[in-house]
Amino acid sequence: MFNNLTVGKRIGLGFSLVVLIAISLGGLGAWNMLTTKADTTKLATEYIPEVKIATDLRGAANRMMYQMRGYGMTEDATYYKAAKKEQEALKKSIADAEELAGRAVYLKALKGQIETAKAASAEYETLMGETETAIAAMNVERTKLDTNAASFMQNAADFLAGQDKAFVRDLDERQKKVSLVTEIANLGTKVRVTNFKAQATGDMVLMKQAVTLLNGLDEFTKQLRPITRAADDVKLINDTEAAAQKYGELI
């Protein structure tokens, strides 16, 4: 049939075929451009923001944990304030993620990941508060320890001063008293230094050593009581033992 067509008709038919092919190629190109535009839109409005939010969230979490490690090791409140600041940054990243999940079409798993992050953040915030409370309580106990240690040392010093004044009345007895009270004062110093080292290093062995040293006070007071007659001096012995007992309870 094609052979029966005239040259003009053949040329016209060929031209029509070329036009049809051009239209088909143009349509295919337009379709590819629309598909590329859709992919680019998804990338720009959902996937790239998701990556940025995830990066910000992870960075804030890492910095927050780093500051809390510093706070736990040094008990310096500056680290805790820095950790709270990073915690606010973490919450902002979670809020940004929730906003993205609310408008995103293709990020199906994002909502579940946000819930996991929120739960972990809330638990860590609770632990931060408990850490702050524990450190504050330890500081209160340390203050009590220092107060009782100072009382212990002051009582020993007052007693020693009184014995120095009475030294001339009974040299032998006073010498023994001075020697015993000096030993008591030295004992108090050893206990206090050992306890400070234990507190600073968290060494339970040193803490037990401090308690053992403090228990040795009885050895000196038992020798001191028989040669101590003045009511004020007896009271100082009693006060010294009471302060030592309270100090030992607080260690």
Side-chain angles (χ1 to χ4, degrees), residues 21-211:
I21 292 171
I23 292 172
S24 299
L25 290 175
L28 181 61
W31 173 259
N32 288 334
M33 288 177 66
L34 290 174
T35 302
T36 302
K37 179 182 178 182
D39 290 340
T40 302
T41 301
K42 285 190 292 185
L43 187 65
T45 60
E46 295 189 17
Y47 294 120
I48 291 178
E50 181 187 34
V51 171
K52 182 182 183 302
I53 290 171
T55 301
D56 291 344
L57 190 150
R58 181 178 180 180
N62 286 339
R63 291 190 299 271
M64 178 179 66
M65 290 187 290
Y66 175 80
Q67 297 295 344
M68 282 304 297
R69 284 197 294 270
Y71 181 50
M73 293 177 65
T74 66
E75 300 181 14
D76 186 343
T78 303
Y79 287 102
Y80 186 73
K81 291 179 181 178
K84 293 292 288 183
K85 182 179 179 181
E86 296 300 340
Q87 185 182 60
E88 293 303 315
L90 175 63
K91 289 181 179 179
K92 182 181 182 304
S93 294
I94 292 176
D96 291 342
E98 288 179 323
E99 187 275 330
L100 176 61
R103 61 179 171 80
V105 177
Y106 302 98
L107 305 177
K108 304 298 184 183
L110 183 57
K111 289 184 178 180
Q113 293 169 345
I114 291 172
E115 293 304 316
T116 300
K118 286 177 67 176
S121 176
E123 182 179 3
Y124 197 83
E125 184 175 6
T126 299
L127 294 174
M128 286 173 64
E130 291 176 356
T131 300
E132 183 189 27
T133 300
I135 288 177
M138 286 192 295
N139 287 333
V140 170
E141 293 304 315
R142 289 191 185 107
T143 299
K144 290 180 180 179
L145 282 169
D146 286 343
T147 299
N148 283 281
S151 176
F152 176 88
M153 297 301 293
Q154 186 60 51
N155 287 327
D158 291 344
F159 189 84
L160 181 59
Q163 297 310 309
D164 285 339
K165 293 178 182 179
F167 185 78
V168 294
R169 294 195 302 266
D170 192 342
L171 183 59
D172 292 337
E173 189 172 271
R174 297 305 172 188
Q175 281 181 329
K176 186 175 181 180
K177 288 180 180 179
V178 169
S179 176
L180 289 170
V181 176
T182 299
E183 290 295 329
I184 290 174
N186 290 337
L187 175 66
T189 300
K190 290 179 182 178
V191 170
R192 194 174 185 186
V193 170
T194 303
N195 183 48
F196 279 165
K197 289 181 178 178
Q199 292 288 335
T201 61
D203 191 334
M204 295 302 297
V205 174
L206 284 176
M207 194 171 293
K208 290 179 180 179
Q209 288 180 4
V211 173

